[in-house]
Amino acid sequence: DMAQGFRRMMQYKKINKNLVGFMRATEVTVNNIDNSYNQHMHVLLAVEPTYFKNTENYVNQKQWIQFWRKAMKLDYDPSVKVSIVRPKNKDTEAMQSAINETAKYPVKDTDFKTDDEQKNLKRLSDLEEGLYRKRLISYGGLLKEIHKKLNLDDVEDGDLIHADDEQEKADEDGYSIIAMWNWE
């Protein structure tokens, strides 16, 4: 439902006319008090330079909340946090941090692992069932094109055997994406 809602929201005129590309990652966390699950998205949006120039293009925090509410067909105001990532003086550290935050693991074992083996097995079973055939990371627009041009492994079906061997290449690819986006 969230992926469909996200797709709907990206088609809204005010968003679509300013959107250059995106990277969307779905993360699932576990509430250790009531054992409930929290599915949420981390999204990195690349927007037109004119996005920040006037209110006709700019989407403020309240508007993001209303767009997400409408896209998800909710009867309440959802939690939406939006922040600008803009490297200063060609320093790519802030951009790299945003990419890392967006692309982090959809489910971390430390988020659901306890000392209780039965609870761990139940949570693992729940996650396996709930995430079955779900695309947890996706790209759109320019970021999808860059992902293809860099010939990166598919995030869902890629090579996990050599993941550690390619950390250095992944870092380089991340910087390549930043360099291509901030080419001026």
Side-chain angles (χ1 to χ4, degrees):
D1 291 344
M2 287 178 68
Q4 290 173 349
F6 181 80
R7 195 171 17 262
R8 272 192 297 273
M9 187 172 74
M10 292 299 103
Q11 297 304 313
Y12 294 163
K13 186 177 179 180
K14 190 168 186 175
I15 294 173
N16 189 281
K17 77 176 183 175
N18 292 294
L19 187 66
V20 174
F22 69 85
M23 176 184 175
R24 173 189 58 83
T26 302
E27 181 180 5
V28 179
T29 57
V30 181
N31 181 327
N32 286 318
I33 296 169
D34 66 4
N35 291 311
S36 63
Y37 300 95
N38 174 26
Q39 176 182 342
H40 58 280
M41 292 181 177
H42 295 259
V43 180
L44 185 64
L45 298 175
V47 294
E48 294 286 353
T50 55
Y51 175 78
F52 297 101
K53 298 208 184 299
N54 60 48
T55 56
E56 182 183 319
N57 292 330
Y58 184 73
V59 180
N60 65 38
Q61 183 75 29
K62 283 185 177 182
Q63 290 171 316
W64 279 114
I65 291 169
Q66 292 309 308
F67 282 146
W68 187 235
R69 177 182 174 148
K70 178 181 172 187
M72 289 298 297
K73 302 175 183 178
L74 302 172
D75 59 359
Y76 62 91
D77 287 347
S79 175
V80 176
K81 180 185 174 206
V82 179
S83 59
I84 298 171
V85 179
R86 195 178 317 172
K88 295 180 176 98
N89 304 324
K90 300 197 181 211
D91 173 22
T92 59
E93 197 171 307
M95 188 66 71
Q96 185 65 42
S97 176
I99 292 169
N100 291 345
E101 176 65 20
T102 304
K104 69 182 180 181
Y105 295 103
V107 178
K108 293 180 282 197
D109 65 336
T110 55
D111 285 350
F112 71 89
K113 200 170 178 184
T114 69
D115 293 332
D116 182 343
E117 189 174 343
Q118 291 297 8
K119 187 183 277 190
N120 292 346
L121 291 172
K122 170 70 171 130
R123 287 179 177 182
L124 186 58
S125 174
D126 290 346
L127 290 170
E128 181 180 25
E129 183 180 329
L131 298 177
Y132 178 69
R133 297 184 60 98
K134 303 294 187 282
R135 181 164 292 277
L136 299 178
I137 299 177
S138 66
Y139 300 88
L142 179 64
L143 297 184
K144 185 174 186 175
E145 291 174 29
I146 291 170
H147 186 267
K148 274 186 187 173
K149 284 181 184 176
L150 291 174
N151 199 22
L152 300 175
D153 272 345
D154 181 75
V155 292
E156 300 292 329
D157 303 315
D159 179 6
L160 297 178
I161 295 171
H162 300 100
D164 290 339
D165 299 343
E166 305 214 2
Q167 181 59 45
E168 189 173 304
K169 182 179 178 335
D171 290 343
E172 289 173 12
D173 290 341
Y175 286 112
S176 296
I177 291 170
I178 292 168
M180 292 174 77
W181 175 245
N182 295 315
W183 64 274
E184 291 180 334

